Amino acid sequence: MTSDTSAENSCPITYEELRDLEQDFEDAETEITRQHLALTKPLYEKREKTVSQIPNFWALVFEQAPPDVDQYIHPTDSAVFLSSLKKLTVSHFELENNPKGDPRSVAIKFEFDENEYFEDRVLEKKFWYRQSKDGRSGLVSEPVPIKWKEGKDLTEGILDLVAKVWQQDKSQANGDSSKPKKIETFTPDEKALKEKIAKTGLGGMSFFTWFGYRGPRVSEEESRLAIEKEREARRLRAEGKATKKDGEEEEEDDEDDEDESLALEIFPDGEELAVAISEDLWPNAIKYFTQGQEAAELSDLDFEELDEDEMEEDDEDDEENDNVQRPSKKQRT
Amino acid sequence: MTSDTSAENSCPITYEELRDLEQDFEDAETEITRQHLALTKPLYEKREKTVSQIPNFWALVFEQAPPDVDQYIHPTDSAVFLSSLKKLTVSHFELENNPKGDPRSVAIKFEFDENEYFEDRVLEKKFWYRQSKDGRSGLVSEPVPIKWKEGKDLTEGILDLVAKVWQQDKSQANGDSSKPKKIETFTPDEKALKEKIAKTGLGGMSFFTWFGYRGPRVSEEESRLAIEKEREARRLRAEGKATKKDGEEEEEDDEDDEDESLALEIFPDGEELAVAISEDLWPNAIKYFTQGQEAAELSDLDFEELDEDEMEEDDEDDEENDNVQRPSKKQRT
């Protein structure tokens, strides 16, 4: 048995069977995510109540963010957060009205105090989990415009331009928006956007350009049909009935077309960043915050005698990072 | 509000509150893991039935293992797997008799065909999730001896020695096994083990030395008491009653002692490897297997005309990596 690896005769298993099995696991994962969100909802509410009493909590979490997030936060972005970020909220909005909604769709909401950069008090970016007809899946979003104050646009006009192009797309032939964009058909605004993106260089852009991320052009309708079709094919296979493999043919067709949508994407890693915020920064916020506090304490120590008693040191008044009471110090009353 | 980061007066939150909140999240996580395991159990059984029909499935999964696992698999280990690994099973054994058991305890079982290296048909390594009195937690295990055939011991005697030392520990004063080991008190076997480990160099050891991993010396009793004590302290804090911070004092005490147990650990990354197998390789086995098949197909293609039709190519009989029927090829009858 072990040395016979030629499969044509010995192996009765097909790739479809393996793929269907994986899909079963993914369905279980989705179900578990629903239960997880229900179970932790009151905990997140309790956390919000607690951390809202810690000055600058969310800004300090972003300061200590893991590399997946941190790499996109430029010093000016950091300054905006430190001067005015009041609250971060991650919600799974498709579940709110429908218990069978997709828990992978996610909304990330930033709440700000009055600040010198923009007028908005709330910036919320929504991501819809969608599947395209060629079987790929991922997060799709819409540009969120920001009302910059005079001369303060951290994206240098590029976010406005993305929002404008998106509005044009919406008002045009609706059904066609998921067709591959060809460069010859670009509107003047699209051409301007493409040039602006090429000129800025992707690494050089503010975190706030992320609000312009759109992702793959997959409409709600396309996604619904693709999921239905796949489920049906899977059901037939589970019953032992063979199905046409047209999905694969379509995939090959698509590869021939040149899709220039990506040239209009100002934040190509937009999905990765959304996932890093919602699945790492958000659930582990206390951990990142505490790490930051500990690091700050350690660097304070450098300036002291290392064998001085920590209790005395705590009594000094120069602890600007001391956002939370030290455990060895105070008892609550 | 935003610029005031001096906390002594403004912040009513303590580190204990944050830590308790984190613990609440961890409890929720544990509960979700229980539900997850219950929900996916039938899927894992179905998967086992399917993959048992694919020749060399598990050996090929190990071939494609992620770096966390792959780095420990030497060419000879790989040869053992390819020639005789029949089945891998990960189970959460503490849940089997007790629905409130800890789902983080895990057993990893390898089943082998007759092979030239050892007599055993089954090697099962169990890991218990335990918490020590200084608040640290992790996986604890016991050495699993292997009946090597003459001259075939891939660990060069080191696994036998670890098992011997472990037996000696067990037959000695039971309560004391969790005390820090001091080098002056080493038995001759312990000294021999320490020397052997130092001489071999950690990178040079076979995957099978992992069966000798022991982890921190935390007894079941110590863990039970530590968890109880922590829960009680948390309960009191939740009711607004302050508790003594003796946990911290103990931690400091421990740091003063020099614990030489690590010098007797033949596989210091044993816990990381157990987690990588049980939480990545095991749930994602089909993905790794499929990736391997695809990579093999791609490298087959190098020898063909690239624009030749794939259908024709499939008809050839030289596909030694073709362990599963190609999707475009056959229909089940």
Side-chain angles (χ1 to χ4, degrees), chain B residues 165 168 172 180-195 217 258-265:
Chain B
V165 164
Q168 289 167 357
Q172 276 169 20
K181 270 257 183 258
K182 295 205 169 162
I183 197 152
E184 308 89 69
T185 66
F186 274 12
T187 65
D189 281 328
E190 286 176 332
K191 281 182 190 147
L193 178 57
K194 182 171 184 281
E195 260 167 50
R217 307 288 188 267
E258 229 176 310
D259 186 352
E260 291 280 346
S261 307
L262 205 63
L264 302 178
E265 184 59 79

Side-chain angles (χ1 to χ4, degrees), chain B residues 44-313:
Chain B
Y44 280 113
E45 283 160 9
K46 190 172 160 191
R47 185 180 79 173
E48 175 48 34
K49 237 179 94 181
T50 302
V51 305
S52 68
Q53 299 173 70
I54 302 175
N56 268 339
F57 177 83
W58 286 108
L60 293 167
V61 169
F62 272 96
E63 290 281 293
Q64 295 297 323
D68 291 359
V69 175
D70 188 57
Q71 62 179 310
Y72 302 111
I73 301 178
H74 293 216
T76 325
D77 305 324
S78 212
V80 178
F81 287 164
L82 275 167
S83 72
S84 64
L85 179 61
K86 247 176 36 186
K87 189 171 163 185
L88 179 77
T89 315
V90 169
S91 63
H92 298 262
F93 59 92
E94 288 200 16
L95 286 177
E96 273 155 29
N97 306 314
N98 172 12
K100 288 286 148 199
D102 199 312
R104 289 166 292 193
S105 292
V106 75
I108 302 178
K109 187 164 82 175
F110 295 76
E111 291 175 58
F112 295 93
D113 275 324
E114 162 86 46
N115 68 68
E116 57 173 307
Y117 292 90
F118 43 76
E119 304 289 348
D120 311 82
R121 286 289 174 282
V122 175
L123 294 176
E124 181 173 38
K125 191 152 176 70
K126 282 176 146 182
F127 297 86
W128 288 265
Y129 185 87
R130 289 199 182 141
Q131 189 166 321
S132 73
K133 58 181 189 294
D134 64 13
R136 281 176 289 190
S137 54
L139 295 178
V140 166
S141 189
E142 294 175 350
V144 175
I146 297 179
K147 294 190 206 71
W148 299 104
K149 292 187 178 171
E150 187 64 30
K152 291 292 188 179
D153 183 347
L154 296 176
T155 74
E156 289 163 28
I158 211 162
L159 187 57
D160 285 348
L161 198 49
V162 170
K164 195 173 163 195
V165 164
W166 171 66
Q167 287 294 351
Q168 289 167 357
D169 276 5
K170 275 210 304 186
S171 59
Q172 276 169 20
N174 280 346
D176 274 10
S177 69
S178 68
K179 272 216 174 150
K181 270 257 183 258
K182 295 205 169 162
I183 197 152
E184 308 89 69
T185 66
F186 274 12
T187 65
D189 281 328
E190 286 176 332
K191 281 182 190 147
L193 178 57
K194 182 171 184 281
E195 260 167 50
K196 232 177 154 81
I197 290 172
K199 224 164 61 189
T200 317
L202 294 171
M205 288 200 222
S206 155
F207 171 81
F208 290 91
T209 51
W210 173 70
F211 285 97
Y213 167 79
R214 293 180 60 179
R217 307 288 188 267
V218 183
S219 68
E220 197 178 336
E221 178 70 359
E222 175 180 341
S223 183
R224 200 179 50 73
L225 290 174
I227 291 169
E228 262 175 29
K229 200 167 149 188
E230 190 205 88
R231 275 189 200 282
E232 177 61 12
R234 189 143 60 108
R235 197 182 57 75
L236 286 174
R237 281 196 295 271
E239 290 174 2
K241 296 172 192 151
T243 55
K244 240 181 57 216
K245 310 269 176 336
D246 50 3
E248 293 202 323
E249 286 152 35
E250 280 171 38
E251 203 172 339
E252 278 165 37
D253 285 350
D254 280 0
E255 275 166 36
D256 294 339
D257 284 324
E258 229 176 310
D259 186 352
E260 291 280 346
S261 307
L262 205 63
L264 302 178
E265 184 59 79
I266 56 172
F267 206 100
D269 296 337
E271 169 166 359
E272 286 73 15
L273 180 53
V275 169
I277 292 176
S278 63
E279 297 184 7
D280 185 357
L281 193 78
W282 170 251
N284 298 312
I286 290 182
K287 186 187 86 187
Y288 290 121
F289 172 79
T290 310
Q291 276 172 6
Q293 298 290 305
E294 280 163 6
E297 276 174 43
L298 274 181
S299 69
D300 282 353
L301 271 178
D302 291 343
F303 300 101
E304 318 272 340
E305 291 277 35
L306 271 173
D307 47 6
E308 213 177 282
D309 186 34
E310 216 195 315
M311 306 293 265
E312 288 171 32
E313 183 191 314

Side-chain angles (χ1 to χ4, degrees), chain A residues 113-129:
Chain A
D113 275 323
E114 162 86 45
N115 69 67
E116 58 174 307
Y117 292 91
F118 42 77
E119 303 290 348
D120 310 82
R121 285 290 174 280
V122 175
L123 294 176
E124 181 173 39
K125 190 152 176 72
K126 282 177 145 181
F127 296 86
W128 289 264
Y129 185 87

Side-chain angles (χ1 to χ4, degrees), chain A residues 210-261:
Chain A
W210 174 69
F211 285 97
Y213 167 79
R214 294 181 58 179
R217 307 288 188 265
V218 182
S219 68
E220 197 178 336
E221 177 71 0
E222 176 180 340
S223 184
R224 199 179 51 73
L225 289 174
I227 291 170
E228 263 175 29
K229 200 167 147 188
E230 191 206 86
R231 277 190 197 281
E232 177 61 12
R234 189 143 59 108
R235 196 181 58 75
L236 286 173
R237 281 196 295 271
E239 290 173 4
K241 294 171 192 151
T243 55
K244 238 179 63 217
K245 309 273 176 329
D246 48 4
E248 296 205 320
E249 286 153 35
E250 280 171 37
E251 202 174 340
E252 279 165 36
D253 285 352
D254 279 0
E255 275 166 37
D256 294 339
D257 282 326
E258 231 177 308
D259 185 353
E260 292 279 347
S261 306

